[in-house]
Amino acid sequence: MKKSLAILMAAMMAVTAAGCGSKQEETTAAQTTEAAETGDTTAAPEDAETEAEAEGEETAATGGVLTMGTNAEFPPYEYYEGGDIVGIDVEIMAAVAKEMGMELQVEDMAFDSIIPAISSGKVDVGAAGMTVTEERQASVDFTNTYAKASQMIIVKEGSEIAGPADLEGKVIGVQLGTTGDLYCTDLEETGSTIERYNKGFEAVQALLQDKIDAVVIDGEPAKVFVEQSEGLKILEEAFTEEEYAMAVKKGNTELVDNINAALEKLEADGTLDEIVGKYITAE
C-alpha cells in the first residue's frame, strides 16, 4: 500500500512539473511571437550595451556638432551682436567645421574657463584669440597658428607712460587669464600691481575712472576700446608679439590634424583673408 502510494505521488509530481514547464515554454514562446509581431527587438543588456558603444563610436567618428568654447568679450575676434556671437574666430571656426562636414556650436564662458572646459570634454575646441604658450601647452594641444597679434598698452592722454619700461611700479589692468595677464605677472616683481578683470571692457572703464594707470590687451580689441572711449590712446611700442591658434584636448591628434587641414585649405583659397578683412582694415 505504501509502495503504491509512493508511486502515485511520484507520478503526480512528474505531471505537475511537466505542466509548469509547458506553461513557461508557452509563455516564452508567446512573448517571442509578440515581440516579433510588434517589432519589439529589444536586445539583452549586454547586446544593448555593445550596440550603444558602437553607436557612440560611429557618432564620434562621423562628427555632427563641433563645440567651440570662447569668451565673447574680445572684439573683433568674438563679441555679441544682438543675441548672436560673431567675430573673426567664430567665422573661421564655422568655415573649418563646414570643411569637416560638421555644424559649429559656440559656447560663451569666462576666458580662464576655456582650457578646463576643453580638458573635461565640455567643448571640443577653444578659439578665443588664444596665444600659444608653454604653460598652456602643458594642458592642451594647439593647431597651426592662424593669426598674428600684439599685446598693446592703453593709457589716458597725457600719461607719463610712454612704453613698456614705464609700467614698472604702476597699476596695470588686464583681462583675467589672457596672455596680457600672464606677461604682466612678471611686472609684479618690479613693484607693479596687476588688477585682473573678467572682461577687457571692465579694465578700460577702470582706466577711465583713474583706478589704474594702464591696460595691457590685444591690439585689435585695444583699437575698438579706444575708438569707443574719449581721452585714451594706444602706445606705439607693443608690449609683446604673439600668434593665435585653436586649442584642443591633450592627445586628440585626429582633431588637430583635421582642423589644420581645413585651415590650410581656407588659407589657400583666400577665405581666411576674406574673413579677417571683414573685421580688420589694413592700415
Side-chain angles (χ1 to χ4, degrees), residues 20-86:
C20 291
S22 299
K23 187 175 181 179
Q24 288 176 341
E25 290 172 2
E26 289 173 3
T27 302
T28 302
Q31 290 175 339
T32 304
T33 303
E34 182 181 356
E37 291 176 351
T38 60
D40 183 3
T41 56
T42 304
E46 292 183 359
D47 293 339
E49 184 177 351
T50 302
E51 183 179 349
E53 290 176 354
E55 290 179 355
E57 291 175 0
E58 182 179 354
T59 301
T62 57
V65 177
L66 183 67
T67 308
M68 162 186 160
T70 194
N71 175 237
E73 301 287 345
F74 200 63
Y77 289 94
E78 38 269 326
Y79 61 97
Y80 277 98
E81 188 171 84
D84 299 323
I85 301 176
V86 299

Side-chain angles (χ1 to χ4, degrees), residues 66-70 89 93 111 113-133 135-146 243-253 255-257 259-260 263:
L66 183 67
T67 308
M68 162 186 160
T70 194
D89 285 339
M93 281 308 305
F111 186 86
S113 296
I114 296 175
I115 288 181
I118 295 169
S119 299
S120 67
K122 182 179 180 181
V123 298
D124 301 310
V125 57
M130 190 176 293
T131 305
V132 180
T133 66
E135 181 178 351
R136 289 172 179 163
Q137 285 178 315
S139 302
V140 294
D141 289 335
F142 283 96
T143 65
N144 295 338
T145 58
Y146 65 94
E243 295 181 329
Y244 291 160
M246 284 82 172
V248 303
K249 190 172 184 177
K250 198 75 176 172
N252 194 346
T253 55
L255 182 56
V256 171
D257 291 343
I259 292 177
N260 283 340
L263 286 173

Side-chain angles (χ1 to χ4, degrees), residues 6 8 32 39 69 89 100 116 120 122 155 199 204 231 252 264 271 273:
L8 177 62
T32 304
D89 285 339
M100 295 170 59
S120 67
K122 182 179 180 181
V155 297
K199 303 176 182 179
V204 173
N252 194 346
E264 289 172 5
T271 301
D273 288 339

